[in-house]
Amino acid sequence: MPASGILLIDKVKNITSHDVVSKIRKITGIKKIGHAGTLDPLATGLLLILIGRDFTKLQPKLLKFDKEYVATIILGIETNTYDITGRIVNYYYGKLPDLKAIKKVLADFRGDIWQVPPAFSAKKIKGKKAYELARRGETFSLKPIKVKIYDVEVFSYKKPRLKLNLCVSSGTYIRSFAHDIGEKLGCLACLENLRRTRIGPYLLENSVKLNKINESNWQSYLFH
């Protein structure tokens, strides 16, 4: 019987979560593989890879876990994707806020909030993914979703870069959070870097880089 379990992968930039799944299918020879929580190509960090039927069926439960991130936000610019990979659509030329003003605004975001997902997201609209419509230049609107910001703390602030530690509920878009922070501060903002450090009880420090696993050693990295 093929081995099954959960691989904790430290995803690198510029690959999709599906790319990771495809690579691990080739390494393991197992087709029944999924993941629990997408990371955008821009993002790095913890990705849970579920191997085998007994673990892929746990996906709905694992997707509900809260998550922690380290996010770097650039103040003063707005992009169409809400992150630095997108097209810049607006600049702010005024004075950037000080740390005291930032902390005051961040306090307003703690707890339950309503958040509109980015237009460039995988949210479905009449069976089509939002990012597909956005790329075609079509006009549409996404419904706000209720998420929870358990905690948000400033790690560092060196204008224009604001680095934050965040603990959030499942379904929270950090790109939208960055955009909304910029609007609330009145200076615009977009996400520059994102690193996921925890999913529920699973920690980034226990993960492995994809290029470190192969056909002979992958089973030794499994969690059950």
Side-chain angles (χ1 to χ4, degrees), residues 6 9 26 30 59 66 74 76 96 100 105 126 150 153 172-176 189 207 209 216:
I6 302 176
I9 298 296
K26 291 178 181 178
I30 297 172
Q59 185 187 54
D66 59 322
I74 297 183
L96 293 177
K100 183 178 179 181
V105 164
K126 296 180 180 179
Y150 294 102
E153 299 292 341
T172 303
Y173 283 91
I174 308 300
R175 283 184 291 145
S176 288
S207 67
K209 298 278 190 185
S216 62

Side-chain angles (χ1 to χ4, degrees), residues 75 96-108 154 157 162 181 184-185:
L75 304 182
L96 293 177
D98 60 20
L99 185 57
K100 183 178 179 181
I102 288 171
K103 287 184 175 181
K104 184 177 179 181
V105 164
L106 290 177
D108 294 337
V154 176
Y157 181 41
L162 173 65
I181 286 291
K184 188 80 172 180
L185 287 168

